[in-house]
Amino acid sequence: MATGSYHHGNLRAALLERAEEVLVKDGAVGLSLRGLARDLGVSHAAPTRHFRDRQDLLDTLVTEGFGDLNHRLREAAGSAGPVDERLTALGRAYVVFATERSALLEIMFAAKKEEGAGEDLRRLAHVSLEIAAGLIGEAQQTGAVRPGDPARLAQVAFSAVHGLAVLAVGGLLDGTPVDEATDLTLNVLLAGLGAAP
Amino acid sequence: MATGSYHHGNLRAALLERAEEVLVKDGAVGLSLRGLARDLGVSHAAPTRHFRDRQDLLDTLVTEGFGDLNHRLREAAGSAGPVDERLTALGRAYVVFATERSALLEIMFAAKKEEGAGEDLRRLAHVSLEIAAGLIGEAQQTGAVRPGDPARLAQVAFSAVHGLAVLAVGGLLDGTPVDEATDLTLNVLLAGLGAAP
DNA sequence: ACCTGAACACCGTTCAAGT
DNA sequence: ACCTGAACACCGTTCAAGT
């Protein structure tokens, strides 16, 4: 599909696709616009027609990544079942995403100090937190979670699963299978959230 | 101090010092060996006398970073006071390090997929986990922490504080002051660790 | 032992010019 | 509208040569 219009048809989409392949294989360091152009058989200047600069391409990947993540989180949060099971599902979904797309996760939480486009990305990251906060608010109504600002408790929950993902991706879990580490983390987290302040 | 022998005296130390300044200011992306050489007034090839390549300089910074981190953690873990207070101190020390030296923290938990020298760095990261595991083992004896493999519980504890540091550095805490977010995280964590499995 | 200078093979980015 | 080719100012890394 996609009939080649000039040289490629949809160079933009091809660049993004190839970029994530390179990202998985060599990390963000090994990703160059000239390299992508070479891989796709176009001139080295062609990518700049579709992305202002290298960072713009990276930001586009990150945006897509947050889209996928937030979609998965919404599915987990909205599934059937009691609220504590949905909280567990939410945590697991995060860790699954983080380990499946670890190269992407790394750049999602890296270039957060860029001033310009960083604002949009921060808003997207925020959505993840808001999904967690919504579910925690629900859980507070059933008494499964202690009282308190749901946004702040969501920060705590996010910290737990994100930190675990970093350990897993960094190979610091030793022999512990990721699933077991995840379940233990979520068990401790939910026990802690449930306990009286 | 340090009399200039040829051009600089101790170029190696000067490179490391300048490198962390650049890291803080521009991140790992903006750090180039040629740039450092320019800043220090030496030829562009001079740095390769002291560091095999760019990654070697980065690894050296990371090693020093883990040294500092583990020193701080040991101090917090070994301070006077009941074990749960020391656990809190340990968590706070981690977050303080992570926010004070956030640029360094980023590269400490980034290039973890390098095959060669990564082994040494993983061992250093491990030390942090072992310090936490030791303290958790102590806390189990007083009944402050639930039974279970201290190494696995340390992974959970590490996840909580590391994840929080990422949120803080990434500007995702909204209005929440870091100290308050830290204390809430540690409160939830310790409550969760104390509860029966 | 430590540094220089030239060299090679890469980059990102811009810009006139082509189709 | 989309791409090319040359150009400019950068990189990392190597290697003979200097002191």
Side-chain angles (χ1 to χ4, degrees), chain A residues 6 32-34 38 44-45 48 53-54:
Chain A
Y6 195 64
S32 80
L33 294 181
R34 286 177 105 110
R38 218 180 297 121
H44 65 258
T48 70
D53 51 26
R54 197 188 107 109

Side-chain angles (χ1 to χ4, degrees), chain A residues 60-93:
Chain A
T60 306
L61 285 175
V62 167
T63 301
E64 191 272 323
F66 274 119
D68 180 23
L69 172 61
N70 288 334
H71 175 75
R72 296 189 194 204
L73 294 183
R74 259 190 277 264
E75 282 219 331
S79 64
V83 71
D84 57 320
E85 276 180 23
R86 282 184 286 144
L87 274 169
T88 302
L90 189 69
R92 284 185 183 145

Side-chain angles (χ1 to χ4, degrees), chain B residues 27-106:
Chain B
V29 172
L31 196 159
S32 79
L33 294 181
R34 285 177 105 109
L36 295 178
R38 217 180 297 121
D39 293 349
L40 298 175
V42 295
S43 84
H44 63 258
T48 69
R49 284 294 119 188
H50 299 280
F51 301 100
R52 214 181 325 96
D53 51 26
R54 196 188 109 109
Q55 190 59 50
D56 187 30
L57 186 147
L58 251 30
D59 285 349
T60 305
L61 285 174
V62 167
T63 300
E64 190 274 321
F66 274 119
D68 181 23
L69 172 61
N70 289 333
H71 175 74
R72 296 190 195 204
L73 295 184
R74 258 190 278 264
E75 281 219 330
S79 64
V83 70
D84 58 318
E85 276 180 23
R86 283 183 286 146
L87 273 169
T88 302
L90 190 69
R92 284 185 183 144
Y94 189 89
V95 177
V96 167
F97 172 86
T99 48
E100 273 183 11
R101 306 189 74 180
S102 62
L104 193 54
L105 189 82
E106 203 147 309

